[in-house]
Amino acid sequence: LWLAFAWLAATGRLADFRYLNVPVLHPYPPAGYVENPFNPGDKGDLINVAQAAQVKADLVRDGQLELRAAETGDGSLALQSDTGRALQALTALIDQNNRQGIVERVQNSLDSVVVGHLADPNDSSVVWAVKETGHASISYVSKSDQSVVRREAVRFESTFWLVLKGDHFLITDALVQTKPQP
């Protein structure tokens, strides 16, 4: 036993025992926490399940407000869902669409949603992130006669960074990558 202990200590594997899941004696991760999906190599990087659920729920609400703002051309709705770089980008898109006399109607279908800690590349103090993958149908609609100007089908992979403002998480930054679909 002494040799096994010495070998585990020398190889650094003794520290792995703190992550050992023994349900009655040492449950891991502890109740109310999960391993951070954005850092799978570090079993000690845990996130609070309740807070992650709030981040996800707030992103869903914020996303619906963003879609509604783009669909109506009403930039004031963006103030309820976005802040920082995300707010600048959304209001610029709405302003551009308004100048062109169009609005965007988007139908999203999500394949996966992952919530965890991932530093925003533009502001490392922002760590809550949600990564969504799926596909969307985007209709560009004329504001004057409600006719569809064009349609696009895309596959997307989007990462949203959220920051707590009061008791609500707002989207503060986003990286949206799309690929046209036939």
Side-chain angles (χ1 to χ4, degrees):
L1 284 173
W2 170 247
L3 287 174
F5 179 79
W7 179 78
L8 287 170
T11 60
R13 292 194 173 124
L14 189 58
D16 289 345
F17 282 119
R18 67 183 156 184
Y19 306 123
L20 184 63
N21 184 18
V22 181
V24 175
L25 301 173
H26 184 266
Y28 194 85
Y33 290 86
V34 295
E35 292 178 21
N36 182 9
F38 293 122
N39 191 9
D42 183 357
K43 292 180 180 263
D45 186 3
L46 302 178
I47 59 171
N48 181 290
V49 172
Q51 197 169 22
Q54 180 186 357
V55 168
K56 182 178 178 181
D58 287 352
L59 176 69
V60 169
R61 178 190 166 275
D62 295 344
Q64 292 301 316
L65 282 168
E66 284 184 331
L67 294 176
R68 183 76 179 131
E71 184 176 348
T72 62
D74 182 1
S76 68
L77 291 173
L79 296 171
Q80 299 172 42
S81 61
D82 292 27
T83 188
R85 294 169 56 91
L87 179 60
Q88 292 170 351
L90 182 56
T91 54
L93 173 69
I94 291 168
D95 290 345
Q96 176 186 336
N97 285 349
N98 284 338
R99 283 191 302 276
Q100 295 175 2
I102 60 172
V103 293
E104 296 182 21
R105 292 187 183 144
V106 180
Q107 294 291 325
N108 285 325
S109 178
L110 298 174
D111 296 332
S112 71
V113 178
V114 178
V115 181
H117 288 165
L118 179 66
D120 180 343
N122 296 304
D123 182 354
S124 61
S125 70
V126 177
V127 296
W128 277 108
V130 180
K131 183 175 183 177
E132 295 180 336
T133 58
H135 58 276
S137 173
I138 307 166
S139 299
Y140 298 90
V141 179
S142 169
K143 290 175 90 173
S144 62
D145 64 5
Q146 299 301 305
S147 65
V148 175
V149 176
R150 75 178 189 276
R151 293 180 202 263
E152 290 181 11
V154 296
R155 230 115 167 97
F156 64 85
E157 183 174 296
S158 304
T159 305
F160 300 94
W161 286 272
L162 294 96
V163 60
L164 188 61
K165 297 287 185 179
D167 63 347
H168 183 80
F169 283 91
L170 297 177
I171 301 168
T172 190
D173 206 354
L175 174 62
V176 178
Q177 299 171 316
T178 62
K179 294 180 184 175
Q181 297 293 295

